[in-house]
Amino acid sequence: MKAKTPAALTGYDMFAIQILYFGASAGFIYPSLLIRSTDGAYWIPLAVWSAIALLSCLLYGKLLSLLENGGLVERLSSSIGLPAAVLVCLPQLIFIFGALVIMLRAYSEMITMTMLPTTPVSFLNGMLLAPGALALAGMMPIARAARVLFLISSILSLCLMLMGFSDVDWSLGGPWLRSSGDFLIDKHFYAGSFIWMGFVFPALIGNYNPQISRRFRNSYISALVVAFPMIAGFIYLPVMTFGRELSRHLTLPFISKMDAVYHYWIVFENLTALFVSVTMLYVLLVMALKIHALSESLKTLFPRAKAVWIYGTVVVLVYAAASKLPSWRAVESMIYYTIGLRMYALFIFPLLAMAAVFVAGRKKKVAS
Amino acid sequence: MPDILESIHLLKTGTQEPSLLSRLKESFGDAADFKTLHAGEAGSESVYLCFLASLCSTQKLELLLGSPISGGISATLGRYSGTSLGEADVLGCEKAICNGSAILCTTASHNGIIFDLSETKQRGIDTPITESVLQGPMYAFNENLDANTALIRQQIRSPKLKMWETKVGSMSQTRVAIFSYFGAADPGLLAKLQERLQNIKTDGIQDSGQLLRLLITRKKMSLFPLAISSERPDRSTADLLLGKMIIMVDGSPFALTVPAVYTDFWHSPEDSYVNPYVTYFLLALRFLAMFMNLFLPALYIALTSVNVDVNRLEISLAASASREGVPYPVFIETFLMLIIIDFITEAGIRLPKTISSTVTMVGGVVLGQAIIQANIVSNLLVIIVAATAITNFIVIDYQMGLVQRILKYFIAIGATVAGLLGIIFCFTCLVFYLSCLESFGAPYLTSLFKKGAPTS
């Protein structure tokens, strides 16, 4: 397979990708982080993060609209030169690499904890090969796969979510309105930033102009609106089942919630297995997107390197790093350590890139 | 007829080279059906008629060589007044003989006159064998390209229906035609197809399926069929109007429709002839059958050996009870039964109809009963394998059905390795693979419902 020039994605493609991103990242680690971040209403930190993500998305939208049918990294490189572009992009690339490692290892750990306790994590990490191959095939195959997986996984997730409403006590979800803003000084609140960053990856892939940029922004906003209840469900359903205190001590609250669902009319007794299986659909696709974003950026920065070698190296390094992590605790620590990188990706990178593009534009104008 | 006689007198003679008659006798020396018959005398020269008896029309030959009439060869040839005649050298005459024509030449001439006495051997227009429907046209293509062209033209009576023809195969010289509907079809794709057909290097082709393999480069070869193979003129013409192209090979009753996307293989021609709600129901049924066919054996493996806790306790206990006494692990038991059912299916297809029903009966009922009683497999597995076999026959397209038969093993291997997660992983790999495929420029994974021409 050969990497192809990415064509412009449709709004629906971007929407599907963003929903899949939320599905891949919000279901397992995130609920425990958010539950631990505040004593007040949970929807308030969610709304705050939604607003922050929206702001960052608008920033990216503005940046992408300046690209005149070019790629972001390519334009950056032509504006400020290759060495400076490498410097600006480096934290962004490390962030994507870290995100890949965390996602792969966290998901493998989740499988080990719930379904296949005796299977070695290094074997489970081998699942990376499938997204690696898809990433190498190009962005359009990723978008096509996203459409199919979105169709299947959204139906299954909705069913699981509806079944999660059994045995809930709404009074346990409170306080519903009160919040002291304590989450703003809690590291768990910032550690959960990774679920709001789905738009960062497509921004690094493909060519943009004002029209495509508008599509990019609108599809993320639509996805955010649709995913918000889903994310709230991941947090509130365990809380309304086990209470705040118990949920706070659970590593994977929504998984525990799924384990607690029992109805005589459900054919399957273990809904956790179904949830973990559905999550695999999300995770594999999102990992393909991340590998593609990382490798394409590297390809632009190092044009002499062969695409196959770049993709191969990325896959091998991610696999090695994910297998090297000693335990679940190390995965959690890595989430905290990379908060700074995520903030860079959310705000500093687009601002720097915008400044670079703007200055280069001004210089060009003056020269002409 | 004086014209033909005149032409005979004007045939080239007199060089040192051997005559046409002797060269033809040499070329077709070992062909038992090659005949050289004395037709009469033209001046001092004897006139001979050379032809392949197997390809010539006996009626036309009878007319030319039958009962002698008064007036000699001149009167005999007069019967051919008005028909088109050609003149050719040795190579041209050889080619013409291979196409069913007869050559009239003298003993000394170096070229000959070509008479078209060819007769195409073909079966009549029959009902479709592989795509039977209960409602809709009941006739199918046959092996004759001209007859098939007529069937298509009868369905689309418009000058916008275009036909481009070429010959493929250095030895077989097989006629291959591309049909397209002007205004709907993509001209770029048509040009690409024409180029690919002209670049094919092969000795000969016998079927449209073989042509498809030659059209797709080895690098782009895929497990899934990249063109619809149909013997129904109504299906082909409907696709033409949607902007697709039809490739037909002389000698094959199957038309190739390109480009073809994954969901095209799940539409029956009947879908357009029945109530749309029924069509949606049938489509849902087919997709359900596809999922059952792919996942049922794999789910059995996963739920009885790897993820035993996922199932309800009652079902798990029932499954375990039915497996009591079975000496093999679940995956061996399942693969054994899947292979046996594939043996029976294959035997049922290949054997004559009268025997195939017996084989099915012996295989399905007797063998099934015996295998359970011998405690080789569980009761539950027999039900699952039977359901899998039935759902495989719901697949509309024969080629896609074959692919499904292979894929269920792939998913079952996934289930053996990692249970439910293995199934999901294999399924995702399949989706990834399908999303990378393209059929003649069109992405393989596109909308379920037919909208219009997919563009390259």
Side-chain angles (χ1 to χ4, degrees):
Chain A
M1 278 181 283
K2 210 172 81 179
K4 289 178 181 171
T5 313
L9 301 180
T10 63
Y12 180 69
D13 290 337
M14 289 211 197
F15 173 78
I17 287 171
Q18 293 306 325
I19 291 285
L20 289 171
Y21 185 84
F22 281 117
S25 51
F28 38 114
I29 313 175
Y30 185 68
S32 77
L33 292 173
L34 196 106
I35 291 168
R36 283 184 227 168
S37 73
T38 182
D39 290 327
Y42 294 125
W43 65 268
I44 294 175
L46 278 184
V48 170
W49 258 121
S50 300
I52 295 170
L54 203 61
L55 189 69
S56 175
C57 177
L58 293 176
L59 214 57
Y60 268 93
K62 182 69 193 161
L63 168 65
L64 298 178
S65 69
L66 300 172
L67 295 183
E68 296 163 350
N69 289 317
L72 177 54
V73 182
E74 186 190 350
R75 185 67 191 277
L76 205 58
S77 174
S78 65
S79 300
I80 54 174
L82 191 63
V86 171
L87 272 181
V88 171
C89 291
L90 193 63
Q92 186 89 345
L93 301 182
I94 296 171
F95 148 69
I96 301 175
F97 181 79
L100 262 167
V101 173
I102 292 172
M103 180 166 272
L104 179 62
R105 182 57 193 258
Y107 186 65
S108 296
E109 285 284 346
M110 192 167 81
I111 293 173
T112 312
M113 282 187 237
T114 54
M115 289 177 76
L116 302 171
T118 55
T119 310
V121 169
S122 52
F123 175 77
L124 293 174
N125 284 344
M127 76 174 96
L128 188 67
L129 280 176
L134 180 66
L136 182 60
M139 190 59 208
M140 287 321 287
I142 294 176
R144 277 178 229 139
R147 282 199 293 253
V148 177
L149 296 184
F150 167 67
L151 196 73
I152 297 166
S153 59
S154 56
I155 295 168
L156 293 170
S157 292
L158 187 69
C159 293
L160 287 171
M161 198 63 87
L162 289 176
M163 276 189 263
F165 276 95
S166 52
D167 297 326
V168 295
D169 181 350
W170 288 81
S171 65
L172 294 173
W176 293 98
L177 295 171
R178 181 172 55 77
S179 176
S180 60
D182 54 348
F183 55 84
L184 290 171
I185 50 164
D186 192 287
K187 65 173 181 177
H188 297 106
F189 173 72
Y190 297 100
S193 54
F194 61 87
I195 79 155
W196 309 99
M197 306 183 67
F199 55 86
V200 173
F201 308 102
L204 296 171
I205 311 161
N207 302 328
Y208 286 91
N209 58 30
Q211 197 191 349
I212 303 173
S213 153
R214 207 174 308 125
R215 210 186 298 156
F216 167 89
R217 191 189 59 208
N218 293 343
S219 50
Y220 181 74
I221 294 170
S222 318
L224 194 63
V225 171
V226 173
F228 194 87
M230 180 173 83
I231 302 165
F234 284 138
I235 291 150
Y236 274 105
L237 287 175
V239 170
M240 291 192 297
T241 308
F242 308 119
R244 279 181 168 247
E245 271 315 302
L246 182 55
S247 302
R248 197 182 273 272
H249 292 96
L250 294 172
T251 311
L252 304 166
F254 192 73
I255 299 265
S256 304
K257 166 67 206 177
M258 285 287 107
D259 239 351
V261 175
Y262 177 82
H263 287 292
Y264 73 95
W265 47 267
I266 301 174
V267 182
F268 295 105
E269 199 161 81
N270 186 350
L271 286 187
T272 307
L274 287 188
F275 175 72
V276 174
S277 303
V278 174
T279 308
M280 183 180 250
L281 300 176
Y282 295 117
V283 167
L284 291 178
L285 194 283
V286 171
M287 284 202 294
L289 178 73
K290 286 179 178 175
I291 295 172
H292 189 66
L294 180 58
S295 306
E296 284 301 302
S297 304
L298 287 170
K299 210 173 91 183
T300 313
L301 294 172
F302 306 102
R304 283 186 184 180
K306 273 189 175 179
V308 180
W309 284 106
I310 294 177
Y311 279 84
T313 312
V314 166
V315 168
V316 169
L317 287 177
V318 171
Y319 174 83
S323 303
K324 268 276 175 234
L325 285 177
S327 65
W328 174 257
R329 291 286 158 238
V331 179
E332 282 189 325
S333 309
M334 218 174 142
I335 295 172
Y336 298 124
Y337 296 148
T338 48
I339 291 173
L341 286 172
R342 287 199 288 277
M343 293 303 144
Y344 178 87
L346 277 175
F347 295 107
I348 302 170
F349 176 75
L351 284 171
L352 279 177
M354 220 183 306
V357 171
F358 186 70
V359 170
R362 281 291 292 269
K363 270 187 186 170
K364 206 173 164 186
K365 233 179 209 176
V366 170
S368 65
Chain B
M1 190 177 168
D3 296 359
I4 302 176
L5 263 182
E6 251 177 57
S7 304
I8 292 171
H9 286 300
L10 290 172
L11 288 173
K12 273 197 279 178
T13 52
T15 56
Q16 295 298 313
E17 288 172 29
S19 69
L20 174 69
L21 187 64
S22 56
R23 300 244 332 238
L24 287 177
K25 277 181 177 172
E26 192 189 325
S27 297
F28 292 96
D30 292 327
D33 58 342
F34 179 70
K35 307 284 179 198
T36 51
L37 295 179
H38 184 250
E41 300 290 332
S44 59
E45 298 282 348
S46 294
V47 178
Y48 282 90
L49 192 72
C50 312
F51 58 91
L52 285 171
S54 51
L55 291 180
C56 285
S57 157
T58 44
Q59 273 182 335
K60 289 177 185 173
L61 272 173
E62 181 67 24
L63 192 70
L64 192 62
L65 301 169
S67 50
I69 53 171
S70 57
I73 190 168
S74 173
T76 308
L77 294 175
R79 291 165 174 169
Y80 271 83
S81 114
T83 55
S84 62
L85 302 171
E87 199 179 314
D89 58 2
V90 179
L91 283 176
C93 287
E94 278 179 4
K95 212 172 169 183
I97 289 172
C98 288
N99 283 327
S101 295
I103 304 296
L104 204 61
C105 59
T106 63
T107 42
S109 66
H110 294 290
N111 51 356
I113 297 163
I114 302 169
F115 281 83
D116 184 13
L117 301 183
S118 63
E119 185 187 48
T120 311
K121 306 285 187 278
Q122 65 174 84
R123 64 185 168 101
I125 306 294
D126 222 328
T127 52
I129 298 166
T130 57
E131 292 169 283
S132 52
V133 293
L134 292 176
Q135 191 171 344
M138 294 292 179
Y139 60 100
F141 289 127
N142 65 12
E143 284 79 4
N144 184 265
L145 180 59
D146 295 321
N148 295 342
T149 307
L151 291 178
I152 292 175
R153 287 243 178 243
Q154 278 171 17
Q155 296 246 345
I156 303 177
R157 296 181 189 275
S158 161
K160 285 187 172 181
L161 176 64
K162 306 294 178 194
M163 180 191 176
W164 178 86
E165 197 182 308
T166 187
K167 283 188 174 164
V168 175
S170 54
M171 298 295 166
S172 68
Q173 291 287 309
T174 312
R175 290 167 66 204
V176 175
I178 303 175
F179 296 88
S180 60
Y181 192 77
F182 183 75
D186 176 11
L189 177 61
L190 180 62
K192 206 189 286 177
L193 276 176
Q194 289 170 343
E195 192 194 331
R196 280 198 208 173
L197 278 174
Q198 281 168 333
N199 289 336
I200 288 176
K201 300 269 181 287
T202 181
D203 288 345
I205 53 166
Q206 283 73 42
D207 187 64
S208 52
Q210 196 185 355
L211 180 72
L212 181 64
R213 284 175 62 168
L214 293 168
L215 277 174
I216 300 164
T217 53
R218 189 170 282 277
K219 205 177 157 192
K220 289 187 176 172
M221 199 66 85
S222 83
L223 178 65
F224 288 86
L226 296 179
I228 297 168
S229 187
S230 174
E231 55 172 342
R232 296 187 61 89
D234 56 327
R235 189 177 191 187
S236 296
T237 48
D239 285 334
L240 274 173
L241 295 175
L242 282 172
K244 298 190 178 189
M245 279 164 217
I246 305 296
I247 304 172
M248 295 214 75
V249 175
D250 193 28
S252 169
F254 289 95
L256 294 175
T257 305
V258 294
V261 299
Y262 183 71
T263 48
D264 286 343
F265 294 91
W266 300 92
H267 286 282
S268 159
E270 214 171 16
D271 289 354
S272 312
Y273 312 138
V274 295
N275 184 315
Y277 298 108
V278 176
T279 302
Y280 297 143
F281 171 71
L282 291 175
L283 260 178
L285 208 65
R286 282 175 213 143
F287 274 89
L288 191 67
M290 177 194 78
F291 280 112
M292 279 188 74
N293 183 256
L294 282 179
F295 296 129
L296 213 54
L299 274 173
Y300 174 77
I301 296 173
L303 297 178
T304 52
S305 64
V306 184
N307 304 106
V308 186
D309 57 329
V310 171
N311 235 338
R312 289 184 67 86
L313 185 64
E314 296 88 333
I315 301 171
S316 294
L317 286 174
S320 303
S322 78
R323 285 204 76 246
E324 204 178 347
V326 177
Y328 309 115
V330 179
F331 72 92
I332 290 186
E333 178 196 7
T334 311
F335 279 103
L336 189 75
M337 275 308 281
L338 286 177
I339 287 170
I340 287 175
I341 208 80
D342 270 340
F343 286 157
I344 295 169
T345 310
E346 204 54 22
I349 293 168
R350 305 285 159 223
L351 284 170
K353 274 182 184 172
T354 43
I355 309 171
S356 68
S357 55
T358 317
V359 170
T360 318
M361 183 65 79
V362 171
V365 180
V366 180
L367 197 65
Q369 187 63 33
I371 211 162
I372 292 168
Q373 282 179 348
N375 265 345
I376 295 172
V377 299
S378 68
N379 301 335
L380 191 58
L381 182 61
V382 172
I383 298 169
I384 281 169
V385 169
T388 308
I390 291 166
T391 49
N392 191 248
F393 294 118
I394 296 177
V395 180
I396 299 287
D397 189 88
Y398 175 66
Q399 294 181 70
M400 190 57 89
L402 292 177
V403 175
Q404 290 263 116
R405 273 166 67 181
I406 298 170
L407 288 178
K408 66 175 184 279
Y409 289 101
F410 171 62
I411 308 262
I413 291 169
T416 308
V417 174
L420 269 182
L421 283 170
I423 296 174
I424 298 290
F425 181 74
C426 289
F427 171 69
T428 315
C429 287
L430 260 181
V431 173
F432 286 180
Y433 177 62
L434 286 170
S435 66
C436 295
L437 287 184
E438 284 186 354
S439 162
F440 296 89
Y444 206 54
L445 276 188
T446 47
S447 172
L448 176 63
F449 299 103
K450 290 185 175 182
K451 279 177 191 164
T455 51
S456 59

